[in-house]
Amino acid sequence: MKYIRQFLIILLITFLGEVCRYLIPLPVPASIYGLLLLLGALLAGVIKLDQVKEVSCFLIEIMPLMFIPAAVGLLVGVIIGITTDYFTDDSKPIVKKVAHASSSGPAFTVLSGISYGFISALPAMVGIAVSALIAYKLCEPMGEGYAIFGISMAAVGMLSIVGMIISNDAYGPIVDNARGLAEMGGLGEETIRTADELDSAGNTVKAVTKGFSISAAGLTVISLLGAFMSEANNALAAAGRELITGFDIMSPTVFFGVLVGAVVPAVFSAMLILGVDKNAQRMVAEIHRQFNTIKGLREGKAGVKPEYDKCIDIATSGSLRELIPAGLMTIIATIIVGFIGGPSAIGGFLLGNIVSGLLLALFMSNAGGLWDNTKKYIEAGAEGGKGSDSHKAAVIGDTVGDPFKDTAGPSINTQITVVSLVSSLLSSVFVMFSFFG
């Protein structure tokens, strides 16, 4: 890429300027430190004036084009956050509609939650598509490879507020645990009610931050698809074969890869949710065993304590054990597709995996948050309050939603990244050994 050297020089000067500002704190911007470093490098002969001119041209001509994709990514991220808040906040109409549907029974809770969860994925998917398209078209005239680089910049823009995203994501578990401690400690209904309100806000911000991370991961993985093409083309050039310029959906090997790639996130999610189900059943059986065998536990006698360590062991070791088959399945599926169809099939595989994975991740994350806040909304007194039929239905919805938003949904990001990296690492092998490649 033509301007990589200039870009690296800018990054190096910026980094050194920040280091100098930290070591020699003065009330001046880091750019002043960078300018002084640049002058010193010129005087010492480390860099030449022609190189400075190249960097200046880069700043004037290229950097503005890089800024626009980043700004588009940030704007799309904000839109995704606003729409996610609309679908999961208990002060908005969607949660109230699901709460009202819960008065008719748990089936209506689940059906309405699934429906609104799928609808909530629309703005994010469109936003990802628009930001990728704008970034690609803006940077395409700059030269070969810059179109994909523009999509990467859109992802960087979306994650430019990563500090806020991480802090908001941490807020959710903190208030969730605070609510549990308030209930276990018997701190009174008023404290629990306040903690419930904080927990409801935590569910919303968790859904918003997951929307940010899922969308940014989608843009990043598109860039990884470009990296796979580059690696595959290097191997094809070495073998004296025709290079890949794109993936034709009418090609049978590409279409084969698309179909298989699209189903992998669904199977991966199913395996994780089944793992949660198995561990939950083991936990329930252990709790029943302790109630039946430990004298005085059921009656709550003083000094009688349950065996907490066994429940913790079931949760931790079981979760790790159930994760292994799902992870292996994604890796093995990628390798099999590569050996059958070669690089073109892997390209289709990644395309199907990205699209299907993003849709499922957004749907499960938002639907889970919606069900959780529906329960909180009813517990606050709406639709009959605690103990009502609406509340019982909402609890069932929340039970369904927990593995959606806390297990399967966030894990799909990792699954997409893993298959992308495996594809890039084994691209040369797929070029040399494939049945229909």
Side-chain angles (χ1 to χ4, degrees):
M1 295 172 69
K2 184 179 176 183
Y3 295 100
I4 285 294
R5 184 179 62 179
Q6 294 91 320
F7 190 67
L8 290 176
I9 292 173
I10 293 171
L11 286 180
L12 178 62
I13 292 173
T14 304
F15 172 74
L16 292 176
E18 289 289 348
V19 171
C20 290
R21 188 174 66 165
Y22 176 77
L23 296 175
I24 312 172
L26 294 174
V28 295
S31 57
I32 300 299
Y33 287 92
L35 181 60
L36 293 174
L37 286 170
L38 180 62
L39 291 174
L42 277 170
L43 294 173
V46 176
I47 58 174
K48 299 178 180 179
L49 187 60
D50 291 341
Q51 292 176 318
V52 176
K53 290 179 180 178
E54 288 181 350
V55 173
S56 301
C57 291
F58 178 81
L59 288 171
I60 296 170
E61 298 174 8
I62 305 302
M63 286 299 284
L65 293 177
M66 291 298 172
F67 169 77
I68 297 173
V72 170
L74 178 59
L75 178 62
V76 169
V78 172
I79 294 172
I80 291 171
I82 292 172
T83 55
T84 304
D85 176 75
Y86 176 78
F87 280 94
T88 57
D89 192 344
D90 59 7
S91 64
K92 301 296 192 297
I94 302 299
V95 171
K96 295 178 182 178
K97 288 179 180 179
V98 177
H100 181 69
S102 299
S103 61
S104 300
F108 298 96
T109 306
V110 174
L111 287 173
S112 58
I114 288 175
S115 301
Y116 287 121
F118 276 123
I119 295 171
S120 70
L122 174 64
M125 294 293 284
V126 172
I128 295 169
V130 169
S131 59
L133 180 62
I134 292 175
Y136 191 97
K137 289 299 181 182
L138 279 174
C139 298
E140 189 178 22
M142 294 165 55
E144 183 182 355
Y146 274 93
I148 297 296
F149 185 66
I151 295 176
S152 303
M153 291 302 296
V156 170
M158 194 174 289
L159 287 176
S160 60
I161 53 172
V162 66
M164 295 169 58
I165 293 172
I166 292 173
S167 61
N168 281 326
D169 205 27
Y171 169 80
I174 291 171
V175 294
D176 196 355
N177 286 342
R179 197 266 180 205
L181 291 172
E183 187 172 8
M184 289 189 294
L187 300 182
E189 288 297 321
E190 182 63 24
T191 302
I192 294 174
R193 185 189 64 79
T194 303
D196 274 334
E197 292 178 0
L198 295 173
D199 191 18
S200 177
N203 289 329
T204 299
V205 297
K206 277 195 295 184
V208 171
T209 54
K210 284 171 186 173
F212 266 99
S213 59
I214 292 167
S215 303
L219 291 172
T220 304
V221 172
I222 295 172
S223 303
L224 289 177
L225 179 59
F228 164 74
M229 286 183 59
S230 176
E231 291 293 327
N233 281 334
N234 289 337
L236 289 168
R241 295 167 57 182
E242 184 180 355
L243 302 184
I244 298 173
T245 56
F247 300 106
D248 183 6
I249 195 67
M250 297 304 293
S251 168
T253 53
V254 174
F255 191 67
F256 160 75
V258 168
L259 291 180
V260 178
V263 80
V264 166
V267 176
F268 178 79
S269 301
M271 293 176 73
L272 291 181
I273 293 172
L274 283 172
V276 172
D277 175 67
K278 291 176 184 176
N279 275 338
Q281 291 186 41
R282 293 190 193 105
M283 185 75 74
V284 170
E286 173 62 22
I287 292 169
H288 285 170
R289 184 197 67 79
Q290 292 190 25
F291 273 126
N292 293 329
T293 58
I294 301 176
K295 294 182 180 180
L297 182 62
R298 188 186 300 274
E299 294 79 11
K301 290 184 179 179
V304 178
K305 293 184 178 181
E307 298 172 352
Y308 295 113
D309 57 327
K310 293 188 176 180
C311 293
I312 294 171
D313 182 64
I314 289 172
T316 52
S317 62
S319 62
L320 294 173
R321 185 170 55 250
E322 296 296 339
L323 185 62
I324 293 172
L328 284 176
M329 183 275 298
T330 60
I331 296 173
I332 292 171
T334 307
I335 294 172
I336 291 173
V337 170
F339 281 133
I340 292 175
S344 59
I346 286 292
F349 179 84
L350 293 177
L351 287 171
N353 195 269
I354 292 168
V355 174
S356 172
L358 288 177
L359 174 62
L360 286 174
L362 290 165
F363 155 68
M364 288 192 284
S365 176
N366 292 342
L370 172 59
W371 278 318
D372 200 342
N373 278 352
T374 297
K375 185 192 73 171
K376 293 285 191 301
Y377 177 68
I378 293 175
E379 286 176 347
E383 302 294 336
K386 283 186 178 181
S388 64
D389 289 340
S390 299
H391 182 238
K392 294 174 183 176
V395 168
I396 293 173
D398 183 36
T399 305
V400 174
D402 276 343
F404 273 36
K405 67 182 176 66
D406 295 328
T407 305
S411 300
I412 290 178
N413 278 358
T414 307
Q415 179 266 321
I416 296 174
T417 306
V418 165
V419 299
S420 301
L421 293 176
V422 170
S423 300
S424 296
L425 289 171
L426 297 180
S427 57
S428 299
V429 179
F430 297 149
V431 168
M432 293 184 291
F433 306 102
S434 61
F435 290 108
F436 303 106

